[in-house]
């Protein structure tokens, strides 16, 4: 599993080592559906995958599959090392697809979402194609150390299985920039963090200690289902010895961003321009109108929110729409 490590030693940067691994012939096609030119990866499983399969992987939860973009996300050295340790899609599939039943057909690049979701959940969540001795017994596994962490923490929930059947239309990248004049929840300050929720998916920022004007500049990815609702934002004060106190909330309407992006199609064909707008009103939490712009070939939206149900506080975010074919 680790023969390739000799060629991808530590002197090179993590980004370069990851790129070199992606150039292996078996990694030029999605591990799950064989779609060409995958741009996403499951860092703890050790496979490169396409965007359509990426949406299903995300729905499994990070305890099973931690999805990262090869080009958009920052990778730690440990995450790159884990990918190299597995050795690529062929090595991983030799384990995860070792016992595919005779006559069973893997989904292809044009498979429906239902076919794709059923196969990926059978392969990684239910472990139906693993050698029986490698399947989880009392929470332990004999798989390689690179994928052991996700196998040891393996647990499936009904809500995650339901999300796996949802058709995704794209990804929204949310950059949590900063908070301003946030509410005091400790003696003189607060330890704020942000939680974002879209459907069954939840992401969380780091905690900023003793700061009412925290700066995060953190980026988080959320898969957008076909029937998406509002993106919900909540700010909390971290407490060590008691329940965390809420510091305000706001709902974000994704429709202006998504409908504008889909109307223009390939944003890379256009110069910088405004293509839409989310208007401030008494029914939303906007501080001011929020334009949707094409900037350097990407569809982005700056948003300033006045936190609701709290005495003070504003949040600044940037949204970016990533279509399925990117």
């Amino acid at each position: 599993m680790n023969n390739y490590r000799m060629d991808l030693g530590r002197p090179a940067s993590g980004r370069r080592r990851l790129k070199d691994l992606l150039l292996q012939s078996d990694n030029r096609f999605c591990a799950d559906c064989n779609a060409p030119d995958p741009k996403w990866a499951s860092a703890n499983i050790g496979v490169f995958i396409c965007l359509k399969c990426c949406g299903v992987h995300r729905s499994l939860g990070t305890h099973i599959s931690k999805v990262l973009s090869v080009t958009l996300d920052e990778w730690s050295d440990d995450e790159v090392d884990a990918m190299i340790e597995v050795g690529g899609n062929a090595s991983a599939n030799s384990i995860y697809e070792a016992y595919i039943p005779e006559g069973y057909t893997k989904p292809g690049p044009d498979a429906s979402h239902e076919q794709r979701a059923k196969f990926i959940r059978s392969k990684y969540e239910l472990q139906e194609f693993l050698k029986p001795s490698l399947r989880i017994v009392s929470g332990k596994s004999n798989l390689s150390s690179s994928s052991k962490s996700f196998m040891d923490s393996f647990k499936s929930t009904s809500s995650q299985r339901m999300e796996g059947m949802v058709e995704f239309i794209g990804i929204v990248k949310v950059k949590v920039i900063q908070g301003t004049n946030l509410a005091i929840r400790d003696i003189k300050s607060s330890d704020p963090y942000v939680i974002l929720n879209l459907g069954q998916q939840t992401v969380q920022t780091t905690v900023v200690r003793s700061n009412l004007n925290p700066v995060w500049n953190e980026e988080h990815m959320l898969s957008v289902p076909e029937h998406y609702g509002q993106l919900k934002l909540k700010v909390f004060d971290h407490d060590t010895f008691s329940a965390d106190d809420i510091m305000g909330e706001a709902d974000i309407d994704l429709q202006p961003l998504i409908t504008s992006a889909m109307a223009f199609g390939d944003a890379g064909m256009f110069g910088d321009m405004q293509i839409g707008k989310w208007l401030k009103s008494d029914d939303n939490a906007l501080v001011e109108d929020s334009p949707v712009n094409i900037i350097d070939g990407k569809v982005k939206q700056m948003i300033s929110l006045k936190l609701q149900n709290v005495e003070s506080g504003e949040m600044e975010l940037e949204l970016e729409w990533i279509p399925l074919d990117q």
Side-chain angles (χ1 to χ4, degrees):
M1 293 283 287
N2 61 355
N3 293 337
Y4 196 66
R5 179 180 286 276
M6 295 291 291
D7 301 322
L8 296 172
R10 275 291 186 144
S13 69
R15 181 75 68 184
R16 173 60 184 273
R17 293 187 300 137
L18 189 66
K19 182 178 179 181
D20 288 346
L21 180 63
L22 185 58
L23 290 176
Q24 282 186 198
S25 59
D26 58 314
N27 295 332
R28 295 178 182 176
F29 298 88
C30 173
D32 297 328
C33 75
N34 290 321
D37 197 25
K39 289 293 192 295
W40 298 81
S42 173
N44 52 349
I45 295 175
V47 293
F48 292 98
I49 53 179
C50 69
L51 184 57
K52 290 183 178 180
C53 289
C54 151
V56 180
H57 275 256
R58 284 180 181 277
S59 71
L60 299 179
T62 55
H63 61 291
I64 295 178
S65 182
K66 181 179 181 181
V67 177
L68 293 174
S69 167
V70 175
T71 57
L72 300 174
D73 285 323
E74 292 295 326
W75 287 65
S76 69
D77 285 337
D78 287 342
E79 289 165 340
V80 175
D81 288 344
M83 292 289 296
I84 293 171
E85 181 71 24
V86 172
N89 287 354
S91 295
N93 281 346
S94 70
I95 293 177
Y96 287 98
E97 298 181 2
Y99 280 74
I100 288 184
E102 185 177 352
Y104 189 102
T105 303
K106 283 182 62 173
D110 297 325
S112 69
H113 182 79
E114 289 73 19
Q115 293 171 321
R116 199 182 302 267
K118 181 180 179 181
F119 175 75
I120 290 172
R121 292 198 347 253
S122 296
K123 181 177 176 179
Y124 301 112
E125 182 181 21
L126 303 178
Q127 308 168 62
E128 291 180 355
F129 311 135
L130 257 67
K131 184 177 180 180
S133 63
L134 292 180
R135 294 173 187 168
I136 292 189
V137 179
S138 301
K140 296 184 179 179
S141 169
N142 294 322
L143 286 178
S144 66
S145 59
S146 61
S147 56
K148 189 176 189 300
S149 60
F150 105 87
M151 297 297 285
D152 284 347
S153 62
F154 171 88
K155 182 192 295 182
S156 64
T157 64
S158 59
S159 63
Q160 287 159 346
R161 287 193 291 269
M162 289 175 62
E163 185 71 2
M165 297 304 294
V166 174
E167 181 77 47
F168 294 109
I169 60 173
I171 289 176
V172 61
K173 178 164 69 173
V174 185
K175 183 176 184 180
V176 181
I177 300 175
Q178 64 182 2
T180 305
N181 193 30
L182 300 185
I184 296 174
R185 287 295 179 266
D186 298 326
I187 298 176
K188 293 183 178 181
S189 188
S190 296
D191 302 322
Y193 65 91
V194 178
I195 287 182
L196 298 166
N197 176 265
L198 181 63
Q200 299 290 335
Q201 304 163 88
T202 300
V203 295
Q204 177 181 323
T205 68
T206 56
V207 176
V208 179
R209 301 290 181 182
S210 301
N211 199 326
L212 300 180
N213 298 285
V215 176
W216 284 281
N217 284 323
E218 292 185 14
E219 294 181 343
H220 298 274
M221 303 273 199
L222 292 162
S223 298
V224 179
E226 183 177 11
H227 302 291
Y228 59 88
Q230 292 184 320
L231 173 62
K232 296 185 178 296
L233 176 148
K234 292 185 178 181
V235 183
F236 289 90
D237 169 52
H238 175 73
D239 287 317
T240 303
F241 301 108
S242 61
D244 293 351
D245 300 314
I246 192 164
M247 298 172 62
E249 57 190 334
D251 291 339
I252 301 168
D253 186 359
L254 295 176
Q255 186 172 359
L257 174 74
I258 296 173
T259 55
S260 299
M262 289 186 167
F264 275 76
D266 184 2
M269 298 177 60
F270 301 90
D272 292 0
M273 60 188 297
Q274 181 177 324
I275 60 173
K277 184 183 290 186
W278 182 22
L279 298 175
K280 178 183 183 302
S281 74
D282 294 336
D283 297 325
N284 60 46
L286 284 177
V287 173
E288 58 188 5
D289 290 351
S290 173
V292 180
N293 297 306
I294 294 178
I295 302 174
D296 296 330
K298 299 178 180 179
V299 179
K300 297 187 176 184
Q301 181 180 14
M302 288 295 300
I303 298 178
S304 295
L305 298 167
K306 181 176 177 59
L307 293 173
Q308 305 296 294
N309 305 315
V310 68
E311 57 270 28
S312 65
E314 295 183 2
M315 288 294 304
E316 184 176 344
L317 312 172
E318 181 187 66
L319 306 185
E320 179 183 337
W321 176 249
I322 302 174
L324 285 174
D325 57 357
Q326 182 167 325

